[in-house]
Amino acid sequence: MAHSKGETQVYLVGAGPGDPGLLTLKGRAAIERADVLVYDRLVSPRLLGYARPDCELVYVGKTPDHHTLPQHKINALLVKKALAGNVVVRLKGGDPFVFGRGGEEAEELRAHGLSYEVVPGVTSAIAAPAYAGIPVTHRDAASSFTVITGHERDGKGVSAIPWGQVARLKGTLVFLMGMENLPRIVDNLVGHGMDPATPAAVVRYGTWPMQRTVRAPLAALEERVGEEGIENPAVIVVGQVAALRERLSWAERKPLFGKTVVVTRARHQASALASALEERGAQVLEFPAIEIAPPTDPQPLAEAVAGIEAYRWVVLTSANGVDAFFAEAAAQRLDARCLAGAEVAAIGTGTQAALAAYGITQVHVAREFCAEGLAGLLAGKVRAGDRVLIARAEEARDVLPRALEEQGAQVSDVAAYRTRAVAEGAEALAAALRAGDVDAVTFTSSSTVTNLLACLGGPSLLEGADLYSIGPVTTETLRAAGLEPRAQAVEYTIAGLVAALVDTQEGELL
Ligand code: SAH
């Protein structure tokens, strides 16, 4: 899609410091519009997901030791792509105009007559300290803050930083790109009269799940950083405010902070569990072990929907089943009114919520979120001779239809969808498990167990991690593979699964 007349050609967008939630709305809108997205190393991969599927993604990230693409080539790339008629987004870590060379890019664009827009971002200079519980200003502790580069251009004999003045500033000092020069920075400050006991901190990967913070008096900072193995990317904070961290730290106090948790769900479903875990501080590795696909034979569902008035009961056992049912209904030009004459029953609050999204709110919901629970609930309600439609996963168990048949019902058990194993990403997950980088693995259904085991070539790699099961059926599948879950959700829902993790992982390693 080429840009249209009068539209901005290039957006210099601040991606924020890492936490994808810190991208601005304007930044997101620009990414959604992009034909070409040129992005850096310190940009969350999550943000790339806002780009259109046909958007060209160009990585130009710099690693500390070697430049993937020199700045003049990045400039030339932006110009070339924009002149070719593309809407170009240059997505840069933090704020584009804070040590991001955004100014140089803007000059180059202007020189070529290209229109551009700057979308400021949340800079790591403020956000990394904030996520470590350090306010850069404070009424009692600092009335200014100064952001300084710790990386001076090579070959410069004389420092461009007026150390004499900097060391005398009463406010907070924040150094970016300073880790390699940490000893020099400390020496310069102390050498120019700053109290070696001044509170200081280093925050690495601020706002990311792997955030690490070291707090020490200025003179001891280097040693503590060495002990903790803190490297780039990190900000160095010097000033009285650093001491406030002891009282104000919050991100690191989240119950799952520092934990790496694998989420195995179908791709489009994973985000609810993933975001609940991230909200609690976990680093999530999303592994879409399963994918939802149409059933092998779509005919039975099509026929059931076409003859829906014949059923007194319609039973849906998952949100996927609900979506598949209504997709088929829509294909037959039917809407929610097709269920007007039926009683609707569901397993689980997720299924209930999915039904509510289609306007179906009067639903019999099993309190125990499994087939046995629903069979129990319907025991007194389904009468002999009632026609019951169960629309669910192709590979589902027979418990529910059998139980209803025993009650004398006439059951049509149709496959509404099928779950399929996805191998993609298995290598990376296997490597993380082998390296001991995974603290916990979550399972939201039996099929996630079966498919993950298939992708990993067996259960052995999972033996070192804590496994979490959403409910008894999933637990049985784990046990059948010789794996014992660390915990099973008390309530068989996503929320229950999250609670199980919080209860057993909280504060374990801290
Ligand atoms: N434009 C960026 C800064 C680019 S310079 C901004 O506004 O944040 C790159 C330096 O930023 C790194 O060397 C490091 O000092 C700092 N930095 C970037 N992201 C960071 C993060 N998440 N945590 C700590 N420091 C970070």
Side-chain angles (χ1 to χ4, degrees), residues 17 42 93-95 98-100 123-124 128 176-177 203 205-206 208 232-235:
L42 291 176
D95 180 274
V98 176
F99 300 128
T123 179
S124 63
L176 302 191
M177 303 177 283
V203 187
Y205 274 121
W208 293 79
N232 265 318
V235 299

Side-chain angles (χ1 to χ4, degrees), residues 16-19 40-42 92-101 121-129 151 175-179 203-208 211 232-236:
D19 179 343
D40 281 340
R41 183 170 71 99
L42 291 176
K92 302 167 75 70
D95 180 274
F97 279 4
V98 176
F99 300 128
R101 307 191 73 171
V122 175
T123 179
S124 63
I126 298 173
H151 173 86
F175 293 90
L176 302 191
M177 303 177 283
M179 290 312 282
V203 187
R204 183 184 195 208
Y205 274 121
T207 83
W208 293 79
Q211 172 174 316
N232 265 318
V235 299
I236 304 162

Side-chain angles (χ1 to χ4, degrees), residues 52-135:
R52 292 197 319 267
D54 61 332
C55 174
E56 182 189 353
L57 303 179
V58 186
Y59 174 73
V60 295
K62 299 174 190 134
T63 55
D65 15 84
H66 69 107
H67 290 216
T68 309
L69 202 61
Q71 187 63 43
H72 70 272
K73 290 204 172 152
I74 297 179
N75 296 348
L77 176 74
L78 298 178
V79 167
K80 188 180 107 190
K81 292 291 182 186
L83 286 176
N86 299 296
V87 173
V88 179
V89 165
R90 172 71 177 109
L91 187 61
K92 302 167 75 70
D95 180 274
F97 279 4
V98 176
F99 300 128
R101 307 191 73 171
E104 293 163 53
E105 291 170 1
E107 281 177 50
E108 190 75 10
L109 296 168
R110 177 59 42 89
H112 286 84
L114 291 161
S115 63
Y116 62 84
E117 210 168 298
V118 181
V119 182
V122 175
T123 179
S124 63
I126 298 173
Y131 269 52
I134 301 170

